């Protein structure tokens, strides 16, 4: 029965490697990018940026799909956070697949799962940006959804977040319609206040800036769910979308007007977004680098990735970090199964050769 034991060992090794080791092996290739300018190189900010985990809810998706793919998201995130030890982690929206469809109790369970999966050591902030699957598209946003997300996860509107003298503007993309709705008016007002705050950081001696907190100024970085306006991924310098589709304003990307408003009020130097589920690096409408981050889930992208950004007040460097591909895991299990089948077939052949009746010539020889 040694062959049966060998088969068990092959399958067990495949299981341990795919489920516990492979993420660490793949992510060993990920390194923090190096800053070109040396002024602040002693203490740069290291930000890990992921997007669109889309945790399945109670209404859509098979339980096995939920169990297996969320298991792998957890393994990938924990491997990445241990190996890379970021200073901060941003999740660029669509944390949940059914955030705008569940009851308050179900949302609490959602948040608990999310925080368990993306658990970080004490002192490392997890900044969760709101997405359309979390509170609904513009037409569906409701104070109940918005306040619920903010109560549990802190950011549902427009906020200025500063860490290590780096300024991030966290934007609610669905409130960028510019149609005068309650949330849009609040978002535009918040952007104007942030614009004034940034102006006072840059010009602290002006009379109107006397009460402004004296953070050193640096151009902000925009963090949001929708990318800024672009026609399609055809304009990307790098992309991994298998098919190029034309984007709709206010649905796939921000409108031209909303994009221009962000540029005019914030004068950002860099932007990150999610939503499309595929990676894109382009020079956007504002003339700055924008990175659309691929989905963190195999459900949306079989070759997921995330971004690593090393940032100082006057420079940045960005690196795309490829995660464990779904096909690699599938191929590993298939290879292990084929090896077992070959081993079984070989043993069966030996068994039947031994049991085959002897021919007349064979008997005479004996």
């Amino acid at each position: 029965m040694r062959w049966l034991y060998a088969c068990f060992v092959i399958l067990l090794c495949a299981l341990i490697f795919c489920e516990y080791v492979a993420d660490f092996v793949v992510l060993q290739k990920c390194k923090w990018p190096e800053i070109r300018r040396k002024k602040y190189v002693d203490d740069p900010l290291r930000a890990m940026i992921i997007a669109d985990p889309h945790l399945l809810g109670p209404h859509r998706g098979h339980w096995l799909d939920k169990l297996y793919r969320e298991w792998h998201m957890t393994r990938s995130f924990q491997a990445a956070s241990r190996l890379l030890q970021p200073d901060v982690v941003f999740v660029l929206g669509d944390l949940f697949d059914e955030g705008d469809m569940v009851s308050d109790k179900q949302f609490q369970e959602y948040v608990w799962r999310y925080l368990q999966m993306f658990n970080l050591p004490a002192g490392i902030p997890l900044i969760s940006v709101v997405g359309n699957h979390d509170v609904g598209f513009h037409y569906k946003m409701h104070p109940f959804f918005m306040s619920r997300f903010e109560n549990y996860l802190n950011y549902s509107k427009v906020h200025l977040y500063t860490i290590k003298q780096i300024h991030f503007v966290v934007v609610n993309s669905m409130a960028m319609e510019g149609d005068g709705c309650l949330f849009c008016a609040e978002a535009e007002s918040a952007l104007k206040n942030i614009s004034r705050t940034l102006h006072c950081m840059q010009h602290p001696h002006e009379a109107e800036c006397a009460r402004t907190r004296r953070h050193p100024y640096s151009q902000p970085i925009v963090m949001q769910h929708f990318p800024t306006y672009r026609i399609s991924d055809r304009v990307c310098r790098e992309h991994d979308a298998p098919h190029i589709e034309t984007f709709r304003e206010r649905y796939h990307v921000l409108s031209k007007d909303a994009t221009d408003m962000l540029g005019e009020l914030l004068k950002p130097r860099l932007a990150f977004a999610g939503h499309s589920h595929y990676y894109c690096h382009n020079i956007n409408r504002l003339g700055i680098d924008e990175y659309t981050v691929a989905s963190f889930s195999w459900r949306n992208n079989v070759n997921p990735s995330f971004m690593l950004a090393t940032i100082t007040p006057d420079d940045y460097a960005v690196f795309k970090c490829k995660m464990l591909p779904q096909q690699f895991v599938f191929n590993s299990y298939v290879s292990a199964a084929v090896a077992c089948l070959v081993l079984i077939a070989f043993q069966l052949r030996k068994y039947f050769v031994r049991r085959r009746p002897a021919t007349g010539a064979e008997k005479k020889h004996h």
Side-chain angles (χ1 to χ4, degrees), residues 14-74:
L15 178 70
I16 292 173
F17 180 76
C18 290
E19 307 303 325
Y20 294 95
V21 179
D23 285 297
F24 286 93
V25 173
V26 171
L27 293 172
Q28 287 286 345
K29 299 177 183 178
C30 296
K31 306 293 181 185
W32 289 106
E34 293 187 3
I35 291 290
R36 295 183 296 275
R37 299 177 191 170
K38 302 299 182 183
K39 183 177 178 181
Y40 299 93
V41 78
D42 290 338
D43 191 29
L45 176 72
R46 291 186 170 93
M48 177 177 167
I49 305 161
I50 69 177
D52 296 270
H54 277 269
L55 304 193
L56 287 173
H59 305 298
R60 296 194 296 227
H62 194 275
W63 67 268
L64 185 60
D65 178 38
K66 179 190 299 186
L67 176 69
Y68 191 62
R69 285 180 171 155
E70 289 188 9
W71 159 259
H72 266 283
M73 275 197 285
T74 304

